[in-house]
Amino acid sequence: MVKPKRTLADDFAPRQPAETASIRDTLTPSDAADPLRHLTVQIPDSLRHRIKLAAVEQKQSVRDLVTQALQNHLESLGR
């Protein structure tokens, strides 16, 4: 069976909704009291790679790993 050729328009076609639950759907009541916010930072590519590997090794999301690391760091500073 031959696949049809992709066109540039295919890349800009509307995406189908994901079948998985969104982050908002997975929040616990305690999370809902402290809503999530986006934080965009630029980090070296090598650090990003290490973070992703650590998340896989720990069987957790990058978001959870980074959130926990930041919380631990701030607690160590007494904040």
Side-chain angles (χ1 to χ4, degrees), residues 5-23:
K5 282 189 171 183
R6 290 184 51 87
T7 66
L8 185 58
D10 293 331
D11 293 334
F12 293 100
R15 294 183 180 188
Q16 297 298 321
E19 296 295 324
T20 59
S22 72
I23 290 174

Side-chain angles (χ1 to χ4, degrees), residues 17-64:
E19 296 295 324
T20 59
S22 72
I23 290 174
R24 293 186 196 286
D25 294 337
T26 60
L27 293 177
T28 63
S30 63
D31 293 332
D34 192 7
L36 299 175
R37 298 287 184 237
H38 285 271
L39 173 66
T40 303
V41 296
Q42 292 182 328
I43 60 172
D45 192 48
S46 59
L47 177 58
R48 179 179 175 268
H49 182 73
R50 289 172 49 206
I51 290 168
K52 290 180 87 171
L53 285 176
V56 169
E57 290 170 358
Q58 298 297 315
K59 296 185 174 133
Q60 63 184 143
S61 68
V62 169
R63 179 187 72 153
D64 290 342

